[in-house]
Amino acid sequence: MFVFGGIKIKYKKKQPISALKDGDKVDDVFVVKIKKTMSSYAKGFFFQLILSDSSGKTLDYRYWGSQDEKKVRSLYDSIKSDSVVHVQGKVSIYNKKLQLATNEPFIIEPLKEEEYDKADFIKPARKDIDDMYTELKAAIDDVKNPDIKKLLENIFNEPAMEAKFKTHPGAIEIHHNWVGGLLEHTLEVLKYSLLSFDLFPVLNKDLLIAGALLHDIGKLDELEVTSRIKGSDSGQLIGHIVLSTIFVSNKMDKLGLDNNLKNKLLHIIVSHHGKTEYGSPKQPMFPEAVVIHYADEMSSKIAEITEFIKNSIEDTEDNFMYHRRKQHNIYLK
Amino acid sequence: MFVFGGIKIKYKKKQPISALKDGDKVDDVFVVKIKKTMSSYAKGFFFQLILSDSSGKTLDYRYWGSQDEKKVRSLYDSIKSDSVVHVQGKVSIYNKKLQLATNEPFIIEPLKEEEYDKADFIKPARKDIDDMYTELKAAIDDVKNPDIKKLLENIFNEPAMEAKFKTHPGAIEIHHNWVGGLLEHTLEVLKYSLLSFDLFPVLNKDLLIAGALLHDIGKLDELEVTSRIKGSDSGQLIGHIVLSTIFVSNKMDKLGLDNNLKNKLLHIIVSHHGKTEYGSPKQPMFPEAVVIHYADEMSSKIAEITEFIKNSIEDTEDNFMYHRRKQHNIYLK
Amino acid sequence: MFVFGGIKIKYKKKQPISALKDGDKVDDVFVVKIKKTMSSYAKGFFFQLILSDSSGKTLDYRYWGSQDEKKVRSLYDSIKSDSVVHVQGKVSIYNKKLQLATNEPFIIEPLKEEEYDKADFIKPARKDIDDMYTELKAAIDDVKNPDIKKLLENIFNEPAMEAKFKTHPGAIEIHHNWVGGLLEHTLEVLKYSLLSFDLFPVLNKDLLIAGALLHDIGKLDELEVTSRIKGSDSGQLIGHIVLSTIFVSNKMDKLGLDNNLKNKLLHIIVSHHGKTEYGSPKQPMFPEAVVIHYADEMSSKIAEITEFIKNSIEDTEDNFMYHRRKQHNIYLK
Amino acid sequence: MFVFGGIKIKYKKKQPISALKDGDKVDDVFVVKIKKTMSSYAKGFFFQLILSDSSGKTLDYRYWGSQDEKKVRSLYDSIKSDSVVHVQGKVSIYNKKLQLATNEPFIIEPLKEEEYDKADFIKPARKDIDDMYTELKAAIDDVKNPDIKKLLENIFNEPAMEAKFKTHPGAIEIHHNWVGGLLEHTLEVLKYSLLSFDLFPVLNKDLLIAGALLHDIGKLDELEVTSRIKGSDSGQLIGHIVLSTIFVSNKMDKLGLDNNLKNKLLHIIVSHHGKTEYGSPKQPMFPEAVVIHYADEMSSKIAEITEFIKNSIEDTEDNFMYHRRKQHNIYLK
Amino acid sequence: MFVFGGIKIKYKKKQPISALKDGDKVDDVFVVKIKKTMSSYAKGFFFQLILSDSSGKTLDYRYWGSQDEKKVRSLYDSIKSDSVVHVQGKVSIYNKKLQLATNEPFIIEPLKEEEYDKADFIKPARKDIDDMYTELKAAIDDVKNPDIKKLLENIFNEPAMEAKFKTHPGAIEIHHNWVGGLLEHTLEVLKYSLLSFDLFPVLNKDLLIAGALLHDIGKLDELEVTSRIKGSDSGQLIGHIVLSTIFVSNKMDKLGLDNNLKNKLLHIIVSHHGKTEYGSPKQPMFPEAVVIHYADEMSSKIAEITEFIKNSIEDTEDNFMYHRRKQHNIYLK
Amino acid sequence: MFVFGGIKIKYKKKQPISALKDGDKVDDVFVVKIKKTMSSYAKGFFFQLILSDSSGKTLDYRYWGSQDEKKVRSLYDSIKSDSVVHVQGKVSIYNKKLQLATNEPFIIEPLKEEEYDKADFIKPARKDIDDMYTELKAAIDDVKNPDIKKLLENIFNEPAMEAKFKTHPGAIEIHHNWVGGLLEHTLEVLKYSLLSFDLFPVLNKDLLIAGALLHDIGKLDELEVTSRIKGSDSGQLIGHIVLSTIFVSNKMDKLGLDNNLKNKLLHIIVSHHGKTEYGSPKQPMFPEAVVIHYADEMSSKIAEITEFIKNSIEDTEDNFMYHRRKQHNIYLK
C-alpha cells in the first residue's frame, strides 16, 4: 500500500515468478518462503531468502548490504518467514538458475497485512462467491424444523460470519485450498446430502442441511490465512472437529434448543471423519451422520485427485505420478 | 406346482409364519432353514426341522412318521437344508412356542425350483423394476463415446441379461438384498456419479456411466438365488470384483475395443472397494475410479444403516443397538 | 420409600440374591436385568423377569397373574428393563435353579428414584469420599497460576459439582465403576502427575493439576447412574472427551481466561487417550499432555487388572482366565 | 545396430561405467536414466543427462551444441528418459566427479529397440534358460489330470509363449529382476510345492503344478522390458493377479474345461499373495492355495534378502544395512 | 492301573464314546472335560460331569450318591477338570441324548498319571517315531561346522531329551497336536530348509539345520501333556520363543561356543514367527532366519488347513466351513 | 593420552566445534562422523571427513597429503567411521562454511579407547551417579522376600556390574542417552512403581522393585558405547528384552530360586513393552507387569518429549516442530 495522490493503494502483484527472465528489473511483491542466514562479503553484509508467490514457483534472492552490520541485521530481523515483501532488484543467472538481487539504493521491505492483497498469494476462488452464498442461504430457507432454521439463520445471517465464510479456504493444501474453498466444499457436501435424501426419503432432510453447513465450521478457527494458509495453534492442538463442536454447542445453548437435536447435530460433526483413525472420536451412529461423512469424503477426495492431476501433468510426461500421502501412483492419462 | 384342470400351477405362499396361531390347519410352502436329526419315538420314527419364510420368522416343525424306518428315512433324506417344502399339518403350542406337526396321511414334500415362486422367499423389490431398467437404458443412450456405448448396449440389450439383472439382489444380507436390489444399487451409484460430474465437469461422464453400470456385474455370478440368497462357489473363491473384470474384459475383447479404455474400465472395477483390505487389489488411481468407489460406499452404507434401524426398532425399546459388523452401537431414535 | 408413622422411608435391600434359599419368603428390592415376554397359563396370565442386585448374581422371577389380561399387562408395561422393583414372593427350586414367584395378593411394583437407595445397586466407595475431596481441594490451593486457580475453584467449589463429583463412578464396568470412582481415579491421575513433576521439574505443575482434575470431567454427563451405570445419549454420541472440552471451554470463556492457556488445557483433555484409535482426535503434543495420558493409563489399567483378578479367582481354580477385552489370558496366581 | 560390410550389427556395450577414467575417449551405448533441462552457454546451447548401464553406476553427461538452437532442441527432444543412446565423447573430471561430454562433430543418438542388445541393460540370467524350460515341460508331462495337462500344454507349448517366458524377468527390482527371472522363480515355486506334496500326500499334485506354473503368468503383461524393467499401464492399473486370472480364465473357457477346476485354479491365482493387504482379493481357502502362497513367499523373500546382502556388502563395511521396504536392518556378516 | 495276579496293569480305554449305545454297561476310562456343580435330589446328593476321550466326542455323566453329603462331596472334590477317571455305570437316553450314570455300589474314581495310558487321550503319532528321530540324527551327522555339530549332538544325543522329543506334540490344537508332532514338524521345517539350500547355495546349510532343529525346542517346556495338551505356566507367561532362546543360550555358554554363531542362532529362534505381531521380538535379519520362518509357516499352515478340512467334512455337507481363527471360509470340496 | 613428564594423560576436548571461527589454529580431539573418499589433487592425495563432538555440531575436514599415495592411504585406512581422532589444523571458510584442514607437518591420528575420555563424546550425567546408585541399593534393602533380595544383591553388589550400570546410557538417541542414563531411567521406573504400590496396596512390592531394577538390564549388552552409543550385534539381533531375560534366568538358576518367582519376573521383563508390536512377545498378564510397563512408558516418553523440545527450540522460532518418529507435530511454546 502506498500513498498516491493522497490515496492509499495496496501493492499488487505485477507478474508471476514464472514470467521472470535474465536481466529483468523488478519492483514487485513476493512472499518469503524460507529465510536463510546473514553473512559478510567483500563489501559488507548480505543475506539470502527464497521467495515465492501464488504461482507456486520459488526464486533465490540475495540482498547485498553495506558495511553497516547493524543496519543490515535490523533489516534482516524485520523480515520473517511468511512475510510479504516489496522488492526492488534485478534478475540475473547464477549457477544456471535465476536469482533476484537487491543493491542499494534499491530496497526490500516487509509489508503489513493491509498493504498487500492476500489474493495475490492464495489461489483465487473457482466459482462466484456471492452465488454460492446465495445457494447456501436458499438451503436454510428450505429447512422446515424451526429450531434448526433458527440456529442456521443465527449463524449464517451474521455479517461477520458471512464475510469470513465467503473467503475462507477449505484446507491447507490437499483440497479446496483457495479463496472461498470452504464455502465451495460446504455446498458440495450439501448437494451429495440432498441427493441422498432423494434416494433415501427416510432421512431427515433438515438435519442433513444443518450437518452439511456446520460440519467444518471450526475450520474458520483451524486455518489462519496470512500470506499462506496455515494451521492456527488451536487448529493444531484441538482440531476443527472439536472446534466446530464447541462453536455449535455454544450457539445451541444460547438459543435454548432441544437437547436431542443438539446431541444429533454434535454427533454428526464429531463423527464426520468416519473413523477414529482419521480423528473422529466417534463413528457415525445414525444415517444422517453416515451421509455427511461420505458426502465430505466425495467432495474432498475428488477435489484432491483432480487437483493433483492438474498439477502433475505440468511436471511430467510420464503416465503415472507417485502420490506421497496416498502412497500409491496416480494415473495421469 | 400342481395340476389343476390340466394346468400346472405353482404353489404360492398363503400366509406368513407370523400369522400362524394355535390350532391352525396348514397347507402351505416353507423353506427349510435348519435340518435336525431323525430319531425313534413310541409309534415309529420322527424328524425335526426349523422352517422359515420371507417374513424372517422361524417355526419348529416335527414329522411324526410310521414304524417303516426306511420310508421315513427316505423322506428325511429327500429334504435338504434350503429346500422349499410343501407342508400339510397342524399348529399347536409346545414348551410355550408354536410348533407345526405333520401326522399321516398329511404330507411334507420338497419342491423343485419350478414348483414354487422365489419371490415368496426373497424380499420383494422396493421400486418398479421396469422403470428402473428404463432409467438404466436412458443412461446408456446418453453416452457419447461410441466404444463405451457399444459395450453397454451389447451387454444390457441382451434379453437374458435384462431378465437376470432385473431380479438379482445386490448382496446376501447387508444391503439391497431383495429382488431387483442389484439394479436399484446400480442406479444409486449412477446418480451419485452423475452429480459428481455436475460438480466436477473435468470428469469423463461416459466412463462414469460405464463404471457405475458394470462395477458389480459379477454379482450375477457371485450370488446364487435359490430359496435364499447365498454365495456361489465362484463367488466365494474368486469374488465379484474379479468375476466382473473377467466378464467385462471378455466382452471388450470380443468387440475389439480400445486398450486404454479397457485398462481404465477394468481399473474402475478392480479398485471400487477402495482399499486392499476391503478386497480391491488396486486403490483408485484416477478420478473416475475415486467417484465410483465413493458412490458405491454411499449407496451401500446408507442402505445398510437404514435397514439396520428399520429392523432393530422392531426388536428393542432401547435407544441404541449394537451393530456386530461395525462393532459399535447404532442410535435408533 | 413407604410411609411409616408419617415418615417416608426408602426401601432398603435386606439380603443379597446369593443368600436366598428354597422356601424363603421374600419382601425386598431388586433391579430388573432382563424383561421377558408375557403369556397365558391355565389360570390367567403370567410374565417372567430376570432380577439382579449389587451382588452381581441373577434370579429367575415369575409373576402369576389373574385372568384379567388388561390388569396384568398394565403391571407388565409399568416395569422396564433397569427398573428397581419391590417384590413380595416365595423362593422355590425349578429345573434345578432357584426361582422367585409372586402370587396374588402379594405384589411386584416398580419404584421411583427417590423410593430406593442407589447404593444398593452400585458398588460402594473404596475410600473415604470426604477425605478424597479434601485432597482434591488441597491440590487446587497449591496452584500458583491465578488463572488456573480461578478456573479450578470456580468449578470445584460449586456445591452441586461437589455433590455430583463425590458420588459419580469412573466408568461403566472396566475400572472405578463404584460410588466415588471418578474422584478416586482423578486423584490417582493427580498423584502420578505430581510424581512426574518431581522427576521432571521442567514440567508446568499447575497445568498438570488442572489437567488431572479436569481430564474426565465430561464423565459426569457421559455416565448415567440409575439402578446401574450406563452411557447417556450424549455420552454415546459425543463422548466424555468432547463433553469435557465443551464444558471447560465454556467455563474459561466465562472467566475470560487467556487463550494460550485455553488451547493447552483443551489439548490435554482432547489428547488424553493418547492415540486416535482410542478416541483422541489429537495425540499429546507437549509434555504435560503426555503426562496426563500415561497417568490416566496407569490408574485405569492397574485398577482394571486388579479388579479382574479379584473377580476371577472367585470363579475358577485355574491359573489363567481369559480377558475378553484384552484378548489374552490373565495370570491369577 | 550399424551396417558393417553389408551386415547389420547391434551396438554392443564395450565397458561398464565403473571402468571409465579421466581422459578416456568413449564410443559406447548407455541408457538415459534422467533427462535434465537444456540451456544456453557462451558458444551455443547445451543439455545435460544422467547416463547409466547394467553396472548400476551413473555418469554425468553434457552435450555442448552449436548456436543452432532448433537443431540442438530437436536432438534433445529425440532423447527420452529410458532411451538407449549411442554416445561418442570424452571423459574428464569436473567438481571431483567424472563427466562425459560430447563436442561436435562427435555425436549422441537414441537407438531403436533392434539396434541394441537388451541384455546390456537388464541383468543376465542366472541359470541355463533352456534347461529350466525343459524342467518346466517335464513337470507338465508329469500331470495326470487330462484337463490340467491339456491346459498347461496349450499354454506352454505355444512358441511365442515359450520365447517370452524364457526371457521375462520376475519383478522390477525386488527379486528375480533379470532375464529368465520369471522362469527361475516359477520353478522354485514348483519345487517347494512338490516337496509339500511329498510331505502332505493328501494334496492334489496336478493342481499344485498348474498353480505353480500359472500363478504369475500375468507378469508377462504387467512388466515391460525396454532398456529397463518397468510396470506397464495394465500392470499398474490392473495388476498381475487379475491379469493372470483373466488369461487363465479365457484359456480354460476356450478349452471347455470343468468349472470346479476353473474355480480352484483361479482361486489359487487370486489368493496367492495370501492377504488382502498384499493385493489378494481372497485369502487361500484350500490347501493347494496355501501351498502356492507360501512357496511364492519362500522363493521371492529368500531371493530378495540374498540379493540385498550381495549388493550391500559392496557399499558398506558396517555389520548392518537398513532395508527401506522392510523398515528394519539386515545383518550382513 | 490295578493289581492282577501281583502285576500292576494300567487301565486301558476299551471303546470310544462314539461307540456307546442305550443300555450299555460301562467299565472304562474317560477324561473329565467339564466339572459341573453338585446338588441334592430326592435320595441324596448327585453331581454332573462332561466326559470326553480321544475321539473328541463328549458324554453327559451323572453320579447319583447317597444322603451322606460329606462322602459325596469328598468324592466330588477329588475329581478335577482334566482328571482321568475310571467309571463304572450304565448308559441310558435322557432328553434325546445319551447319558452315563453311576449308582452305588458302582464307582467313579480319579486315576493317577501312572494308572492310565496318555495315548488314550492324545492323538497318536502319524509316522514312525524312531524313523523320524533317525532322520533327525542323520541331519546332525551331515553338519560340517564343528561347533554347530557339537551343540546339536550335545542336545539330541541326551537320552532324556530323545525320550521327550520323540513323544512331545507340536501345539495345543492348531497343528501337529499329536504324539511325536513336534518331531514331525521339526523334520518338515528341516526339509523345506534343505530344499532352500539346494535352490540358494549361498545359504549356510549348517546354520539352517541347527535353526530347524532348535527353533521350537522351548515347546518342550511350553506345552504340558497330561490327559490333554495344555500351556504350562512358563509357556503362557514367557512363551516358547524365549524359552527356546534361554535353553540354547545356556547350552552354548556351557560348550563355550563362538559368540557370532550364538547371536545368529538365537536370532533365528527369536525371529522365527516373522513379525512382532506374531510374537517375534525381532524380524528375520539374514537369509537363514528368513528360511526358517517360512519353512515353519509352510509346515504349520499346511498341516492346519488339511486337519481342519479332515475334521470339517465329517460335520457338514456344505462346500464351505467357517474357520474362526482365520476369520474366513475354507473350501472343503 | 600422551606422555607428559613420564605421566600418561588422556587427550581432553578443549573447545566445542560451535566455538570455532575462521583462522583458529586447532589441536583437539573429534569423533569421525562420516568418512568420505580419498582422491588426488595438484600436490598429491587428500581425503575428506566430517567431524563431530558432543555439542552435536559437525565440521568439514580435509587432509592435504603428499604425493606418497601409499602413506596417505595407510593413514586414511587407519581412520574409521566412529574413530576418535587427534587433529592439528587450521580453520578457514570455504563455500560459506567453516572447514578444518591439516597440512603437513601437522597431523591427524586415530586414538585408542584409553587415550581419550568418552565423556567428551557422550552427553554427561544429569544427576549425581553415586547418589542414584545409593538410592537403588536402598530399594534393595527394602525388599522383604529373601529370594528376591538375594537375587538383586547378587547382581547389583558385584563391583563390575556397579561400574557398568553407573555409566551406561539408557538408549541410543530417543531418551536417557547420556552417561548414567540407564540408572536414571531405572530409578524413575522404580518411583512410578512404588507410587503404584501406595495407591494399590494389593500389589507385590518386592516384585515391583525387582521388575523395575531388572527390566532393562539387557541394555548393558544391547548398547555399545565407543565414541558414540550404538546397538551391538547381539542388541540388534536379539534385543534387550530377550538379553535381559537370559541374564536374569541364568542368575536365578545359579541361585536356585523358586520357579514361580522366576516365571513372574521373566514375564515382567518379557512383557514390559506392553504390546507385541513394540517387541514384547507377551502382553502383561498380571498387575505388577502392567505397572512396570506403564512406569517404563512414563519415564521414557516424558524424557523423550522434554528432550525433543529442548533441542528444537534452539533450531526454530516456530510454535511447532515435526517429530518424525511420532509422525505428528510437537508444540514448543
Side-chain angles (χ1 to χ4, degrees), chain A residues 3-44:
Chain A
V3 182
F4 178 80
I7 305 165
K8 288 187 179 181
I9 299 178
K10 287 188 179 196
Y11 286 103
K12 284 292 300 172
K13 186 77 187 163
K14 291 173 187 158
Q15 57 179 347
I17 286 173
S18 50
L20 297 179
K21 54 187 188 305
D22 191 10
D24 280 1
K25 285 186 185 158
V26 166
D27 184 341
D28 210 342
V29 287
F30 301 90
V31 62
V32 177
K33 186 150 183 179
I34 295 169
K35 186 184 172 185
K36 298 197 158 179
T37 48
M38 172 178 153
S39 317
S40 62
Y41 75 113
K43 302 182 187 168

Side-chain angles (χ1 to χ4, degrees), chain A residues 46-57:
Chain A
F46 78 102
F47 59 82
Q48 230 177 320
L49 307 172
I50 296 184
L51 303 177
S52 182
D53 62 18
S54 74
S55 75
K57 304 289 171 190

Side-chain angles (χ1 to χ4, degrees), chain C residues 83-258:
Chain C
S83 285
V84 172
V85 285
H86 167 221
V87 180
Q88 298 170 324
K90 197 173 159 189
V91 175
S92 60
I93 289 181
Y94 178 81
N95 237 335
K96 314 279 169 217
K97 288 179 67 182
L98 288 183
Q99 188 179 76
L100 173 62
T102 297
N103 287 283
E104 292 182 330
F106 293 110
I107 62 158
I108 176 170
E109 55 171 347
L111 299 180
K112 296 194 194 109
E113 222 177 309
E114 63 274 16
E115 293 176 322
Y116 61 90
D117 188 348
K118 273 183 199 184
D120 283 341
F121 303 102
I122 309 288
K123 288 194 241 170
R126 300 280 163 118
K127 300 185 176 169
D128 185 277
I129 283 179
D130 289 321
D131 286 0
M132 289 198 288
Y133 208 77
T134 301
E135 231 178 315
L136 182 150
K137 297 285 279 283
I140 298 175
D141 289 347
D142 215 29
V143 170
K144 302 279 177 299
N145 178 306
D147 279 1
I148 294 180
K149 193 164 203 156
K150 187 154 74 168
L151 174 68
L152 295 177
E153 286 177 347
N154 186 282
I155 292 172
F156 289 100
N157 287 355
E158 199 187 348
M161 171 61 78
E162 177 171 342
K164 196 162 190 195
F165 207 90
K166 273 178 164 174
T167 57
H168 215 72
I172 295 177
E173 54 181 14
I174 297 164
H175 67 97
H176 298 93
N177 56 334
W178 51 76
V179 172
L182 179 59
L183 176 53
E184 191 175 335
H185 168 62
T186 296
L187 285 179
E188 286 165 14
V189 172
L190 177 66
K191 280 166 188 169
Y192 284 114
S193 302
L194 292 178
L195 172 58
S196 301
F197 172 69
D198 289 346
L199 296 172
F200 299 89
V202 71
L203 296 169
N204 179 334
K205 186 181 177 184
D206 293 346
L207 200 54
L208 288 175
I209 294 173
L213 266 50
L214 296 173
H215 80 287
D216 264 355
I217 194 95
K219 286 207 168 171
L220 297 175
D221 290 328
E222 188 186 46
L223 304 176
E224 265 172 25
V225 185
T226 57
S227 62
R228 61 177 181 104
I229 306 167
K230 67 174 191 174
S232 66
D233 278 15
S234 67
Q236 294 216 48
L237 291 170
I238 304 170
H240 72 274
I241 283 192
V242 177
L243 290 171
S244 301
T245 315
I246 292 172
F247 175 83
V248 173
S249 173
N250 285 354
K251 280 283 173 195
M252 295 186 85
D253 286 353
K254 273 171 201 151
L255 296 171
L257 301 185
D258 174 66

Side-chain angles (χ1 to χ4, degrees), chain F residues 61-79:
Chain F
Y61 171 83
R62 215 162 273 201
Y63 179 82
W64 300 104
S66 68
Q67 303 239 357
D68 183 347
E69 183 174 358
K70 211 167 152 187
K71 193 178 136 200
V72 178
R73 165 131 353 248
S74 155
L75 175 60
Y76 176 72
D77 285 348
S78 73
I79 297 168

Side-chain angles (χ1 to χ4, degrees), chain B residues 40-146:
Chain B
S40 61
Y41 74 113
K43 303 181 186 169
F45 293 86
F46 79 101
F47 59 82
Q48 232 178 319
L49 307 172
I50 295 185
L51 304 177
S52 182
D53 63 17
S54 74
S55 75
K57 304 290 171 188
T58 58
L59 179 66
D60 286 341
Y61 171 83
R62 217 163 269 202
Y63 179 83
W64 300 104
S66 68
Q67 304 239 358
D68 183 348
E69 182 175 359
K70 210 166 153 186
K71 193 178 138 199
V72 177
R73 166 135 345 251
S74 156
L75 173 61
Y76 175 73
D77 286 347
S78 73
I79 297 168
K80 310 281 181 201
S81 182
D82 288 339
S83 285
V84 172
V85 287
H86 167 221
V87 180
Q88 298 170 323
K90 197 174 159 188
V91 175
S92 60
I93 290 181
Y94 178 81
N95 237 336
K96 314 281 170 213
K97 289 178 67 182
L98 288 183
Q99 189 180 77
L100 173 62
T102 297
N103 287 282
E104 292 182 331
F106 294 109
I107 62 159
I108 176 170
E109 55 170 347
L111 300 180
K112 296 194 193 111
E113 220 177 310
E114 64 275 16
E115 291 176 322
Y116 62 90
D117 188 348
K118 274 182 199 185
D120 283 341
F121 303 102
I122 310 289
K123 287 193 243 170
R126 300 279 163 118
K127 300 183 176 171
D128 184 278
I129 282 179
D130 289 321
D131 286 359
M132 289 197 288
Y133 209 78
T134 302
E135 231 178 315
L136 181 151
K137 297 285 278 284
I140 297 175
D141 289 345
D142 214 31
V143 169
K144 303 278 177 298
N145 179 305

Side-chain angles (χ1 to χ4, degrees), chain D residues 187-207:
Chain D
L187 285 180
E188 287 165 13
V189 173
L190 178 66
K191 281 167 189 168
Y192 284 113
S193 302
L194 293 178
L195 172 58
S196 300
F197 172 70
D198 290 347
L199 295 173
F200 299 89
V202 71
L203 296 169
N204 180 334
K205 187 182 177 182
D206 293 346
L207 199 55

